[in-house]
Amino acid sequence: MENYSRAAAFIDLDAIYDNLKALKDNTKAGTKLCAVIKTDGYGHGAVPIAKRIRGLADFFAVATVEEAFNLRRHQVEEPILVLGHTQEEAFTRAIKEEIRLNVYDYETAERLSQAAVACKQTAYIHIKVETGMNRLGFQPGEQSLSEVEKIVNLPGIFVEGLFSHYSRADETDKQSAEKQHKIFSRFEEELSKRGIEIPVKHTGNSAVIIDLPQYDGDMVRAGIALYGMYPSDEVDMGRIPLRPALSLKAKVIYVKTIRKGEAVGYGGTFVAERDTRLATIAIGYGDGYPRNLSNKGDVLLHGQRAPIAGRVCMDQLMVDVTDLKEPVKVGDEAVLVGFDGKEHISVEELAALAGTFNYEFVCDLGKRIPRIYLSGGHVVGKKDYFEDDYQIRL
Ligand SMILES: *Cc1c(COP(=O)(O)O)cnc(C)c1O
């Protein structure tokens, strides 16, 4: 495996491709698939993912216009939708790069129209409708309907999409999602009555693709499922087979035996109840490995579980390896997330122990963790953040 110094995340790009394929196979024919690769692809790396699933994904979605610019800079030429807010300063560049912006008020559309006219190009937009999340979106009703009608007629504007987002589609009880879907459908119908047909209507996230395929619409937006994780443990995990794309590994950098009664780590929160073989692993909360896993999480070494002893430090953690069959030595590779022989630690296991959830766990993996990309059983790329670029004048 590719060499790394302390800790690394291995991203199986083929798993992401297969997950997307499985999701696509479970949507009705003709439904476009939008791959949500915001927050640098949920921490996995947006650019290599976009390149690997090229041709299979019809659309990409990111949270910020800067994320969209970065994809364009890396020759990602598919349609890209910005799900969040975009500041006016970025309008002209976004229009020139055919980046689809989310519009949820009339004034923004007006300013985009002016920018589009000024640069003699078309601004593609997706209009967001509020259906229950109460984050961003036009409030359904007469006023919004006439504002959308005005937007459709603005010069330089092409309303390509109409969309909304579910707040509770991942729960067993689908009443809330049902209500949101009804509100969206009604808004769509009202626009229709006014002669407005927007080509790409989309509301579905991963939970909808898995549990509510009848809500697919013209396009669905797959985020967490793309990476091989389920949006919650309440969705039907048997329906679409997914494979986690990420594994996380770190090196053993020191091994020793401490005496019964000795304490380990800050605060001395682990006290050895026996003479204890202890391994120090080169990963900590400074890398995004949660400190809440102190005295809770396990790591895998030689295919066996070893419990974390004491508090997770910023740059290291210690594990009790006394019970391992094979002796642990410096340079051994510990698996923090993923498979080691028959043993397995999932993101969900660690996230639950740390009091968080899978989405946050992967997004939080930090800048000190190089991402190593695999496809066809080979390393096909690598990214690290070891050398920072600054625009600074002191
Ligand atoms: C993040 C996000 C998604 C993807 O959600 P998943 O649960 O990860 O599939 C879809 N739509 C919007 C608007 C989002 O913000």
Side-chain angles (χ1 to χ4, degrees), residues 36 38 42 83 128 135 163 165 205-207 221-225 231 359:
V36 181
K38 62 191 179 190
Y42 291 43
L83 297 168
K128 190 154 199 207
R135 188 170 60 180
F163 75 118
H165 189 50
N205 53 7
S206 296
R221 308 184 302 266
I224 197 78
Y359 290 72

Side-chain angles (χ1 to χ4, degrees), residues 166-185:
Y166 296 101
S167 55
R168 304 178 65 176
D170 60 339
E171 297 177 13
T172 308
D173 184 342
K174 304 295 187 196
Q175 277 183 60
S176 161
E178 208 172 295
K179 197 170 152 202
Q180 285 193 256
H181 184 255
K182 273 206 185 110
I183 295 171
F184 186 79
S185 301

